[in-house]
């Protein structure tokens, strides 16, 4: 038993058929999938998920992008899950992401950067609760 992080495979990566390859990398890195679903977020749900970014100039663009197609949401478990997952996905901007990271391999751009990863244990818990009930976790 480790702690959890929350991830989303973002619309352009799902659309491009990269979900399987990304999930492979996640499991190969030692994360256990606790919960997972494919879902098309409404504009309201996407806006609510990214509420913390409301004051940032790209908020509208981010919400529009995240509700533009289905995503795959998942809760992942591993020791040191939050930090290790941020390392696995790489920097927000794929041009700065280390070689071998998920964003270096699959992201299209700073905005369309393939995956989300929680930035703290507290946010991991909030984000997991946003998408999953306790009966959907195993
Ligand atoms: P993360 O924690 O690495 O996902 O990065 P942030 O919390 O800073 O940003 C959240 C998400 O907003 C990123 O993953 C990108 O999809 C998007 N984003 C960040 N910066 C920009 C930007 O300058 N323009 C646009 N359009 N989207 C951005």
């Amino acid at each position: 038993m480790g702690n959890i992080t929350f991830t989303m495979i973002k619309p352009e990566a799902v659309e491009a058929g990269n979900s399987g390859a990304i999930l492979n990398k996640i499991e190969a890195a030692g994360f256990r999938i606790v919960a997972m679903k494919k879902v098309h977020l409404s504009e309201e749900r996407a806006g609510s998920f990214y509420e913390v970014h409301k004051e940032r100039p790209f908020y509208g663009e981010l919400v529009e992008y995240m509700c533009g197609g289905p995503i795959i949401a998942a809760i992942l478990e591993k020791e040191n899950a939050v930090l290790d997952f941020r390392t696995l996905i790489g920097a927000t901007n794929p041009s700065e992401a280390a070689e071998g990271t998920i964003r270096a391999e699959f992201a299209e751009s700073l905005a369309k950067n393939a995956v989300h990863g929680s930035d703290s244990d507290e946010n991991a818990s909030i984000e997991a609760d946003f998408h999953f009930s306790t009966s959907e976790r195993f």
Side-chain angles (χ1 to χ4, degrees):
M1 265 289 274
N3 51 1
I4 62 151
T5 191
F6 171 78
T7 188
M8 295 181 286
I9 301 177
K10 297 185 177 182
E12 95 285 4
V14 172
E15 168 80 24
N18 289 327
S19 313
I22 291 171
L23 289 169
N24 251 341
K25 276 182 97 82
I26 291 171
E27 286 196 313
F31 291 88
R32 193 178 75 76
I33 296 170
V34 173
M36 185 163 68
K37 68 170 83 160
K38 188 172 190 176
V39 59
H40 194 154
L41 296 175
S42 65
E43 191 174 339
E44 193 189 356
R45 290 274 293 164
S48 168
F49 183 87
Y50 281 112
E51 188 92 34
V52 287
H53 292 315
K54 208 166 183 163
E55 303 309 322
R56 294 172 84 174
F58 57 83
Y59 175 72
E61 218 177 298
L62 175 60
V63 170
E64 191 183 335
Y65 156 55
M66 288 302 292
C67 66
I71 58 151
I72 291 172
I75 300 173
L76 306 172
E77 183 186 63
K78 185 182 179 297
E79 265 175 45
N80 204 31
V82 167
L83 279 178
D84 283 3
F85 193 69
R86 297 288 297 194
T87 302
L88 179 67
I89 66 178
T92 308
N93 190 338
S95 68
E96 291 160 16
E99 202 181 328
T101 60
I102 290 174
R103 282 170 168 167
E105 200 168 329
F106 297 105
E108 270 181 26
S109 63
L110 168 61
K112 299 182 174 182
N113 60 0
V115 282
H116 167 81
S118 307
D119 62 6
S120 66
D121 286 339
E122 188 191 358
N123 283 336
S125 173
I126 293 168
E127 292 170 1
D129 290 347
F130 183 91
H131 285 275
F132 296 98
S133 66
T134 48
S135 66
E136 294 174 303
R137 305 176 193 206
F138 304 95

